[in-house]
C-alpha cells in the first residue's frame, strides 16, 4: 500500500509564489517626493510715506526771455556770448546810433530855442501887465503879448517832449539786461540789420530753476496734480538733493512718448545743479504707512489682488488677499492683508499653487 506525501507538490508552489511576489515588488514605482520650487521673497515691514516714483529729468531755467532791441537798426557790437553771466543794467549789444544821435541834437537845439523865446517874451509880458491898468497899452497889444508868451511856453513843452523821445531812441540803441541771468543762446550776429523786437539773445534769469520731467500716464491717472511735492537729486551725485513743487502739468500727452511734460520749481537750487543737469525726482506720496512690494509680487484671487505668503514652519505657500492703496511704476503700496514680519514671494508667483513647498534663493533677504 502506497502512502501520499502532500508537501512534495505544495513546496514548489509556495516557492513560485514567493518568487512572483519578489519580482512584482521590483517593478513597483516609488512615490516621487513633492516638488520644491525656488522663489525670491522678502520680509515685509510697513514704511512711512517717504517712498515715491523715480523720474528722470533735467534742470532748466524757471524763466527764459528773448532779448531784443526796441528800435530797428544795424548791430555794430555784441558785448556777451552764449554762457556769459550778466547783471541787471549791463550792456549786451549795440546798434548804429548815428541817426538817433543826430535826431537828439536837433531836438535839443529846438528845445534851447524855445526856452530862449520864453526868456525873451517873459519881460514883455510883465511890462504889458503893469501898463494895462494905467491904459498905457491898448487891449489888443496886451492880448498879443500874452498870446506870444503862452505860445513860447507851449513850444518849450513840445520841444522838451521831442528831446526826451530822441534821448529814449538813443538809449534804445543799447541792449541792456533787465535782471541778472545767464546768456543761453546767440540769435543774431554783428553786422546784421534787425527789426524792432527781433530776438538777438536768449537769457535764462538767475532767479529760480525748474526740473522738467516727463510724467508717465499711470501717475497722472493716479491723481498727480499741481502742488505735489517732489524730492529732486542730482543723478551724478545722489547726495545733492533739494525739494521742489510741481506747478505746471501738460493737459495732453506727447504724441510719441505718451507722457505728460511737468515743471517743478526747485525750492533752493544747489550750485551743482547747473542748467541741463540730469536729475532724479521722486514723487512723495502723502499717504499713511503701508507695505511696499514690487509689482511682480502681485497675483489675483478671483477678481481681487493677492500675494503668496510663505509659512516659515512648513516652507509652504498660501494665497493671501490684500488691499492696494496705490500702484506705482516700481512698487505697489499695500494697506491691509499682511502683517509685519511675514515673508512674501516677490518673483515666480504664476507657477505656485496652495501648500506648495518652496525654497528661498540666496537673494531672498535683499529688499526689492
Amino acid at each position: 500500500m502506497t502512502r501520499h506525501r502532500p508537501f512534495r507538490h505544495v513546496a514548489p508552489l509556495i516557492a513560485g509564489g514567493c518568487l512572483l511576489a519578489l519580482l512584482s515588488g521590483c517593478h513597483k514605482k516609488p512615490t516621487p517626493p513633492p516638488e520644491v520650487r525656488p522663489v525670491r521673497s522678502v520680509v515685509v515691514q510697513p514704511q512711512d510715506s517717504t517712498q515715491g516714483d523715480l523720474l528722470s529729468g533735467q534742470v532748466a531755467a524757471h524763466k527764459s526771455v528773448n532779448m531784443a532791441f526796441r528800435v530797428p537798426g544795424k548791430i555794430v557790437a555784441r558785448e556777451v556770448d552764449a554762457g556769459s553771466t550778466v547783471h541787471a543794467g549791463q550792456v549786451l549789444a549795440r546798434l548804429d546810433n548815428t541817426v538817433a544821435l543826430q535826431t537828439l541834437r536837433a531836438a535839443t537845439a529846438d528845445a534851447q530855442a524855445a526856452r530862449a523865446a520864453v526868456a525873451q517874451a517873459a519881460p514883455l509880458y510883465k511890462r504889458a501887465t503893469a501898463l494895462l491898468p494905467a491904459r498905457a497899452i491898448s487891449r489888443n497889444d496886451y492880448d498879443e503879448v500874452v498870446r506870444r508868451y503862452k505860445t513860447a511856453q507851449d513850444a518849450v513843452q513840445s520841444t522838451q517832449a521831442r528831446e526826451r523821445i530822441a534821448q529814449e531812441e538813443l538809449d534804445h540803441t543799447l541792449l541792456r539786461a533787465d535782471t541778472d541771468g545767464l546768456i543761453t543762446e546767440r540769435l543774431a550776429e554783428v553786422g546784421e540789420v534787425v527789426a524792432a523786437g527781433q530776438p538777438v539773445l536768449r537769457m535764462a534769469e538767475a532767479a529760480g530753476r525748474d526740473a522738467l520731467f516727463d510724467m508717465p500716464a499711470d501717475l497722472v491717472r493716479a491723481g498727480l496734480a499741481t502742488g505735489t511735492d517732489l524730492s529732486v537729486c542730482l543723478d551724478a551725485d545722489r547726495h545733492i538733493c533739494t525739494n521742489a513743487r510741481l506747478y505746471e502739468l501738460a493737459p495732453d500727452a506727447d504724441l510719441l512718448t505718451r507722457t505728460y511734460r511737468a515743471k517743478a520749481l526747485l525750492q533752493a537750487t544747489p550750485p551743482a545743479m547747473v542748467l541741463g543737469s540730469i536729475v532724479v525726482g521722486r514723487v512723495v506720496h502723502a499717504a499713511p504707512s503701508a507695505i511696499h512690494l514690487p509689482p511682480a509680487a502681485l497675483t489675483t484671487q478671483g477678481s481681487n489682488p493677492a500675494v503668496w505668503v510663505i509659512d516659515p514652519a512648513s516652507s509652504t505657500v498660501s494665497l493671501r488677499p490684500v488691499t492696494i492703496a496705490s500702484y506705482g511704476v516700481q512698487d505697489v503700496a499695500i494697506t491691509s492683508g499682511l502683517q509685519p514680519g511675514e515673508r512674501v514671494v516677490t518673483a515666480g508667483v504664476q507657477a505656485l499653487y496652495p501648500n506648495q513647498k518652496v525654497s528661498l534663493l540666496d537673494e531672498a533677504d535683499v529688499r526689492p
Side-chain angles (χ1 to χ4, degrees):
M1 182 175 180
T2 306
R3 292 182 178 179
H4 295 283
R5 296 181 179 178
F7 294 101
R8 179 181 299 176
H9 300 286
V10 174
L13 294 175
I14 294 176
C18 293
L19 181 60
L20 291 175
L22 290 174
L23 292 175
S24 63
C26 293
H27 291 285
K28 185 178 180 180
K29 294 182 179 179
T31 303
E35 180 185 4
V36 178
R37 179 172 293 277
V39 295
R40 289 188 175 91
S41 65
V42 65
V43 176
V44 298
Q45 294 293 342
Q47 301 174 11
D48 295 331
S49 57
T50 57
Q51 297 298 314
D53 299 292
L54 289 177
L55 303 163
S56 180
Q58 67 177 15
V59 178
H62 179 61
K63 186 177 181 182
S64 184
V65 296
N66 290 330
M67 308 296 294
F69 289 102
R70 298 174 62 177
V71 294
K74 180 181 179 180
I75 301 176
V76 295
R78 189 186 66 247
E79 308 297 337
V80 295
D81 209 335
S84 301
T85 300
V86 299
H87 303 283
Q90 180 178 342
V91 176
L92 308 180
R94 304 173 187 270
L95 290 179
D96 182 7
N97 63 356
T98 303
V99 175
L101 188 59
Q102 292 176 351
T103 302
L104 176 60
R105 289 173 178 171
T108 301
D110 292 341
Q112 291 175 349
R115 285 191 291 270
V118 169
Q120 183 178 7
L124 298 177
Y125 172 72
K126 291 180 179 180
R127 187 180 302 113
T129 302
L131 294 176
L132 182 62
R135 297 181 180 274
I137 186 174
S138 66
R139 186 71 186 186
N140 290 338
D141 292 341
Y142 174 78
D143 292 341
E144 180 65 19
V145 172
V146 172
R147 184 186 65 79
R148 290 179 180 179
Y149 178 69
K150 291 184 176 181
T151 300
Q153 287 183 323
D154 293 340
V156 169
Q157 295 181 357
S158 177
T159 54
Q160 286 179 344
R162 288 198 298 270
E163 185 181 20
R164 288 192 297 270
I165 293 174
Q167 182 63 56
E168 290 181 0
E169 293 289 327
L170 180 62
D171 292 340
H172 291 163
T173 61
L174 300 177
L175 182 61
R176 299 179 183 272
D178 296 328
T179 62
D180 296 347
L182 178 69
I183 303 300
T184 59
E185 190 175 359
R186 186 179 68 245
L187 303 175
E189 299 295 337
V190 175
E192 185 175 347
V193 177
V194 295
Q198 179 181 338
V200 175
L201 298 167
R202 183 183 294 275
M203 184 182 73
E205 294 189 1
R209 289 288 182 265
D210 285 350
L212 304 182
F213 298 102
D214 291 323
M215 296 293 183
D218 60 346
L219 275 182
V220 179
R221 288 193 297 267
L224 183 70
T226 55
T228 301
D229 292 327
L230 297 92
S231 174
V232 180
C233 298
L234 192 65
D235 185 56
D237 188 350
R238 298 296 178 89
H239 295 92
I240 301 177
C241 300
T242 186
N243 295 324
R245 176 159 294 182
L246 190 68
Y247 72 90
E248 183 177 309
L249 182 63
D252 297 327
D254 185 86
L255 295 178
L256 296 178
T257 63
R258 306 310 300 170
T259 56
Y260 295 80
R261 175 52 62 97
K263 297 180 180 180
L265 178 63
L266 302 180
Q267 302 300 319
T269 307
M273 288 189 182
V274 297
L275 291 176
S277 299
I278 303 300
V279 293
V280 175
R282 184 183 293 273
V283 179
V284 179
H285 298 296
S289 61
I291 292 174
H292 292 262
L293 290 174
L298 285 183
T299 183
T300 57
Q301 185 180 41
S303 59
N304 299 320
V307 297
W308 289 102
V309 179
I310 301 175
D311 184 358
S314 61
S315 296
T316 59
V317 294
S318 60
L319 200 57
R320 182 82 59 81
V322 293
T323 302
I324 305 298
S326 63
Y327 293 88
V329 177
Q330 297 186 352
D331 67 1
V332 292
I334 298 175
T335 55
S336 65
L338 293 174
Q339 297 298 324
E342 291 186 311
R343 186 177 290 276
V344 175
V345 178
T346 59
V349 297
Q350 295 81 4
L352 299 177
Y353 56 85
N355 297 321
Q356 182 179 9
K357 277 189 169 294
V358 295
S359 63
L360 305 182
L361 295 177
D362 293 340
E363 305 93 337
D365 294 331
V366 180
R367 298 194 61 84

